[in-house]
């Protein structure tokens, strides 16, 4: 009974702190792919992905336009028919038509958008890390000796047997901290992805470099209650309410449910 399982949900303190679909593009999950191309300095591929990557969840109209833009010889015509909502694509097309330089075209995008691509790729690696660590059998809800943790004041430090501390997992960036039990998994992921932490520093575009850092392994969900099929809770900054709702509802179609 879905209603029964909804109202009986009690594992709000055992939800992994995944980045939600929104981070990668709910209906067109391309943000992290563009980020990976940038980290690997494949600027031309990054532009191609932005313009022509298609998804089964995108609209028929958008898919048709993106397929048309997959051919560079169509750029001028595509610019004439591009919907107003595709403002980033419009900027890219204009620059590519004028200069033909993918790096210059990318630099014309707003800084917040450029940073988002690289951050999304780092987020993708974090999600993979949590998955691999869980599959390996790592304890992810209770910190262990030698772990890095956040305390109740969101201060980062070593585990000190303090019950208010919460396990933190490294985020990959150019200042990636290797000395944790999660490096086993992160190093393998980076090898498979064919990237290294130093690649997240862009000498040619330092403003989009990603330093790295830490993120709690599980969501800190407080003030949790469910009443008449309405869930109420408080999350720490940076966590996704959609991840909590997915765990509560477990929808067959997460995108259709908005999660």
């Amino acid at each position: 009974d879905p209603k029964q399982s909804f109202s009986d949900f009690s594992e709000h303190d055992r939800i992994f702190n995944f980045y939600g679909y929104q981070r990668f593009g709910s209906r067109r999950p391309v943000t992290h792919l563009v980020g990976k191309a940038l980290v690997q300095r494949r600027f031309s591929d990054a532009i191609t992905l932005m313009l022509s990557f298609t998804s089964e969840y995108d609209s028929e109209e958008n898919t048709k336009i993106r397929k048309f833009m997959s051919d560079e010889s169509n750029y001028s015509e595509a610019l004439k028919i591009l919907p107003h909502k595709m403002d980033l694509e419009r900027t890219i097309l204009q620059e590519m038509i004028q200069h033909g330089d993918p790096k210059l075209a990318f630099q014309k995008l707003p800084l917040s958008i450029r940073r988002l691509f690289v951050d999304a790729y780092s987020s993708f690696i974090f999600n993979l890390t949590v998955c691999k660590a869980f599959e390996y059998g790592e304890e992810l809800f209770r910190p262990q000796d030698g772990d890095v943790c956040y305390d109740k004041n969101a201060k980062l430090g070593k585990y000190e047997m303090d019950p208010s501390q919460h396990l933190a997992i490294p985020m990959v960036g150019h200042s990636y901290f290797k000395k944790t039990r999660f490096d086993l998994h992160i190093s393998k992921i980076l090898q498979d992805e064919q990237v290294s932490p130093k690649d997240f520093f862009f000498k040619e575009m330092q403003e989009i470099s990603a330093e790295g850092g830490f993120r709690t392994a599980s969501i800190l969900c407080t003030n949790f209650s469910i009443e008449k099929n309405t869930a109420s809770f408080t999350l720490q900054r940076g966590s996704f309410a959609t991840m909590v709702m997915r765990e509560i509802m477990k929808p067959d179609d997460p995108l259709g449910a908005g999660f």
Side-chain angles (χ1 to χ4, degrees):
D1 183 351
K3 291 185 178 180
Q4 183 72 20
S5 62
F6 182 93
S7 60
D8 285 351
F9 182 81
S10 60
E11 296 187 325
H12 59 277
D13 58 346
R14 295 185 64 82
I15 301 174
F16 293 137
N17 198 17
F18 287 122
Y19 285 93
Y21 281 153
Q22 308 97 304
R23 189 72 162 184
F24 313 107
S26 296
R27 302 213 168 269
R28 198 172 74 103
V30 70
T31 312
H32 63 298
L33 300 179
V34 174
K36 179 179 180 178
L38 293 172
V39 168
Q40 294 180 324
R41 305 307 191 269
R42 295 184 289 110
F43 294 103
S44 181
D45 289 344
I47 294 299
T48 299
L49 284 164
M50 280 193 64
L51 294 177
S52 59
F53 180 86
T54 59
S55 164
E56 62 182 296
Y57 302 106
D58 207 354
S59 70
E60 184 177 340
E61 176 192 6
N62 287 354
T63 298
K64 184 177 180 180
I65 291 173
R66 294 195 183 284
K67 287 181 177 179
F68 187 64
M69 289 191 292
S70 65
D71 185 343
E72 289 187 30
S73 65
N74 293 331
Y75 281 179
S76 294
E77 282 300 312
L79 188 59
K80 298 175 184 177
I81 62 173
L82 206 63
H84 290 295
K85 61 184 177 182
M86 291 188 179
D87 54 336
L88 299 179
E89 289 85 350
R90 182 176 301 278
T91 298
I92 292 293
L93 284 178
Q94 289 172 338
E95 292 300 317
M96 289 299 291
I97 291 169
Q98 185 173 357
H99 304 294
D101 186 326
K103 187 188 295 186
L104 287 178
F106 178 76
Q107 288 177 307
K108 288 295 183 179
L109 296 176
L111 178 57
S112 59
I113 298 297
R114 286 183 280 148
R115 284 177 172 165
L116 178 63
F117 291 126
V118 180
D119 288 344
Y121 184 49
S122 181
S123 302
F124 171 75
I125 293 173
F126 175 86
N127 280 7
L128 274 181
T129 301
V130 174
C131 290
K132 296 296 184 183
F134 175 74
E135 291 170 359
Y136 189 78
E138 298 278 10
E139 172 56 64
L140 296 174
F141 295 107
R142 288 188 295 271
Q144 301 175 354
D145 187 43
D147 282 342
V148 177
C149 302
Y150 282 105
D151 66 14
K152 61 183 179 181
N153 298 314
K155 183 179 179 181
L156 201 62
K158 287 288 187 179
Y159 180 51
E160 298 178 342
M161 304 290 288
D162 182 346
S164 71
Q165 289 182 296
H166 298 276
L167 175 64
I169 293 177
M171 294 284 297
V172 173
H174 60 80
S175 295
Y176 165 64
F177 184 76
K178 288 190 63 170
K179 297 178 181 179
T180 73
R181 57 187 164 107
F182 298 100
D183 183 61
L184 170 69
H185 314 292
I186 294 173
S187 293
K188 180 62 167 61
I189 291 169
L190 294 179
Q191 182 181 4
D192 292 344
E193 290 286 304
Q194 297 184 317
V195 297
S196 69
K198 63 182 176 60
D199 294 332
F200 285 79
F201 180 78
F202 292 78
K203 186 176 181 180
E204 63 274 57
M205 287 184 283
Q206 295 186 25
E207 68 276 9
I208 69 167
S209 297
E211 183 178 6
F214 286 85
R215 179 177 175 85
T216 54
S218 59
I219 291 178
L220 308 184
C221 182
T222 57
N223 303 319
F224 183 87
S225 66
I226 293 181
E227 185 175 350
K228 296 182 179 179
N229 289 335
T230 298
S232 175
F233 48 84
T234 303
L235 303 182
Q236 88 268 37
R237 183 178 180 181
S239 290
F240 287 72
T242 50
M243 299 311 302
V244 177
M245 294 307 300
R246 282 185 66 182
E247 288 301 311
I248 295 173
M249 298 179 65
K250 292 182 170 54
D252 293 330
D253 179 11
L255 281 179
F259 306 138

